[in-house]
């Protein structure tokens, strides 16, 4: 059967007419057409591969960009939060690389800035919403926004009704918005003068006037005039009775900013000075009437205690201090 098949195939091929042989020109044309078609097909394939790769890369980049935008915090507006009224010693701005830059020509404090005071330095600031901030030596304080500051270390003092003419001072209300934040809790004033200090892992709040509310990390507490609260860890706050004047407050007096007293009466001056010093004011005999008649001129740019001595001497008034009370009487 195999031999028959081979013989039949051989006979069939013998009877077929010979195929024409293409000319060299035709062969070259066919080869060129085939090459062009192949180039076109491979080029399209590479283009599709490149497009696919670019599309994948673009998708990845878009995903990263979207995630970055989602995680990125909104840019806070930079605003002026305080004005420097008095500066003593070395006061610095903390730079972006934690470098210290001196503030020789600095007059305004902006949100986001951190102030650092050196040894024997001090700072008095007018809070933009009202009130006076004093910063002691060896302190570091960040001005977060126009409603709060963050005490990182050291000691600050806040007066919600700062040194202005007593007759024009508002007595009602709790005063301006000012929140003092620390790692151990935050303090809100309720119309007050108070001092706050970070000492190692302890928050110390001393109230001279009014009261404050402490929202501690572990405990909450209200502190009244003449009280000092100490908060340390999870321990219950300890409350002590303190003097509203004296050595603990001396650094505050050193940072008292200049005050214009032109047209003030001696009585108004005494009210101002006693408030700066934490003293209670009392008159004896006709001394109050005398003080209300006397008129002052100029500006006070020295410590309140020194100004008190000089002004009383010029007005022929005598004085004495006994247990936080200053007694004023007419001189001989």
């Amino acid at each position: 059967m195999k031999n028959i098949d081979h013989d039949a195939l051989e006979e069939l091929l013998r009877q077929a007419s010979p195929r024409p042989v293409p000319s060299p020109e035709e062969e070259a044309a066919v080869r060129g057409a085939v090459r062009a078609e192949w180039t076109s097909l491979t080029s399209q394939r590479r283009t599709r591969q490149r497009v696919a790769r670019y599309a994948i890369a673009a998708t990845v980049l878009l995903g990263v960009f979207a995630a970055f935008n989602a995680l990125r915090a909104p840019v806070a507006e930079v605003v002026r939060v305080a004005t420097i009224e008095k500066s003593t010693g070395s006061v610095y701005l903390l730079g972006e690389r934690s470098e210290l830059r001196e503030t020789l020509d600095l007059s305004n404090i902006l949100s986001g800035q951190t102030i650092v005071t050196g040894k024997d330095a001090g700072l008095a600031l007018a809070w933009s919403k009202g009130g006076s901030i004093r910063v002691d030596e060896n302190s570091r304080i960040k001005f977060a926004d126009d409603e709060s500051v963050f005490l990182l270390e050291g000691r600050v003092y806040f007066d919600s009704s700062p040194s202005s003419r007593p007759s024009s001072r508002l007595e009602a209300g709790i005063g301006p918005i000012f929140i003092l934040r620390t790692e151990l809790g935050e303090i809100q004033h309720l119309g007050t003068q108070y001092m706050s200090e970070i000492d190692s892992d302890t928050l110390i709040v001393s109230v001279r006037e009014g009261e404050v509310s402490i929202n501690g990390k572990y405990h909450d507490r209200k502190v009244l005039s003449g009280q000092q609260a100490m908060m340390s860890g999870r321990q219950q706050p300890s409350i002590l009775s303190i003097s509203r004047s004296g050595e603990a407050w001396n650094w505050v007096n050193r940072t008292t900013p200049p005050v214009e007293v032109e047209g003030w009466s001696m009585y108004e001056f005494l009210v101002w000075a006693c408030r700066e010093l934490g003293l209670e004011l009392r008159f004896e005999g006709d001394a109050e009437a005398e003080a209300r008649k006397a008129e002052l001129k100029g500006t006070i740019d020295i410590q309140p205690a020194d100004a008190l001595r000089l002004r009383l001497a010029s007005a022929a008034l005598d004085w004495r201090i006994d247990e936080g009370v200053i007694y004023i009487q007419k001189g001989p």
Side-chain angles (χ1 to χ4, degrees), residues 247-264:
E247 186 177 352
W249 303 90
N250 283 345
W251 74 270
V252 177
N253 302 328
R254 291 195 300 270
T255 56
T256 300
V259 60
E260 176 68 49
V261 297
E262 187 75 27
W264 285 24

Side-chain angles (χ1 to χ4, degrees), residues 11-22:
E11 181 63 24
L12 181 61
L13 289 174
R14 187 181 299 112
Q15 293 179 5
S17 60
R19 286 182 297 177
V21 177

Side-chain angles (χ1 to χ4, degrees), residues 165 258-265 268-269 272 295-300 311:
R165 190 168 186 170
V259 60
E260 176 68 49
V261 297
E262 187 75 27
W264 285 24
S265 68
E268 290 175 312
F269 163 76
W272 168 82
E295 186 174 307
L296 277 61
K297 296 183 181 297
T299 300
I300 295 174
R311 297 285 175 166

Side-chain angles (χ1 to χ4, degrees), residues 21-306:
V21 177
S23 66
E25 291 79 6
E26 290 175 337
E27 183 177 352
V30 170
R31 290 180 180 276
V34 171
R35 187 181 297 108
E37 182 65 18
W38 172 255
T39 302
S40 175
L41 289 174
T42 55
S43 176
Q44 290 176 11
R45 186 179 299 114
R46 285 195 297 270
T47 300
R48 285 195 298 271
Q49 290 173 345
R50 283 198 298 268
V51 169
R53 287 197 298 270
Y54 292 153
I56 293 171
T59 301
V60 172
L61 286 175
L62 280 172
V64 171
F65 184 73
F68 176 77
N69 278 337
L71 294 174
R72 186 174 59 181
V75 178
E77 180 184 3
V78 176
V79 296
R80 179 178 63 83
V81 297
T83 302
I84 296 178
E85 293 186 304
K86 185 175 183 177
S87 175
T88 60
S90 298
V91 179
Y92 307 93
L93 269 177
L94 188 66
E96 294 180 357
R97 299 180 180 178
S98 298
E99 76 278 11
L100 297 179
R101 296 179 292 170
E102 289 205 53
T103 58
L104 298 177
D105 300 321
L106 188 67
S107 58
N108 294 320
I109 304 296
L110 305 179
S111 56
Q113 290 183 326
T114 298
I115 290 289
V116 179
T117 56
K119 181 175 173 54
D120 297 325
L123 193 63
L125 303 167
W127 186 238
S128 61
K129 292 196 171 182
S132 176
I133 305 172
R134 319 280 175 86
V135 184
D136 197 10
E137 65 177 356
N138 300 323
S139 298
R140 188 158 51 105
I141 180 172
K142 181 175 182 179
F143 292 81
D145 49 48
D146 62 353
E147 293 187 352
S148 66
V149 301
F150 198 101
L151 178 61
L152 298 161
E153 62 179 325
R155 186 162 52 181
V156 299
Y157 168 90
F158 181 71
D159 183 350
S160 63
S161 184
S163 304
S164 58
R165 190 168 186 170
S167 59
S168 64
R169 185 180 292 130
L170 297 176
E171 299 294 342
I174 64 172
I177 298 175
F178 177 79
I179 302 171
L180 180 64
R181 305 184 192 279
T182 73
E183 290 286 354
L184 303 173
E186 68 177 39
I187 303 103
Q188 296 192 50
H189 73 91
L190 303 172
T192 188
Q193 294 172 310
Y194 76 91
M195 174 170 57
S196 184
E197 179 180 0
I198 294 293
D199 183 9
S200 184
D201 59 348
T202 301
L203 172 63
I204 305 172
V205 180
S206 306
V207 180
R208 171 181 269 180
E209 178 181 288
E211 62 181 280
V212 301
S213 174
I214 304 176
N215 181 14
K217 189 174 183 180
Y218 301 106
H219 304 283
D220 297 339
R221 187 77 190 211
K222 278 192 176 181
V223 190
L224 308 179
S225 174
Q227 290 183 337
Q228 181 184 82
M230 301 181 68
M231 291 186 166
S232 182
R234 297 180 180 273
Q235 301 175 24
Q236 286 290 334
S238 62
I239 305 297
L240 306 174
S241 294
I242 59 166
S243 173
R244 298 169 59 246
S245 60
E247 186 177 352
W249 303 90
N250 283 345
W251 74 270
V252 177
N253 302 328
R254 291 195 300 270
T255 56
T256 300
V259 60
E260 176 68 49
V261 297
E262 187 75 27
W264 285 24
S265 68
M266 175 60 71
Y267 177 85
E268 290 175 312
F269 163 76
L270 289 172
V271 172
W272 168 82
C274 288
R275 191 167 183 275
E276 285 291 323
L277 295 168
L279 297 172
E280 183 181 345
L281 176 62
R282 293 184 188 175
F283 293 94
E284 295 180 334
D286 297 331
E288 182 175 348
E290 190 71 24
R292 289 185 182 275
K293 288 190 299 183
E295 186 174 307
L296 277 61
K297 296 183 181 297
T299 300
I300 295 174
D301 194 11
I302 57 177
Q303 291 189 37
D306 296 331

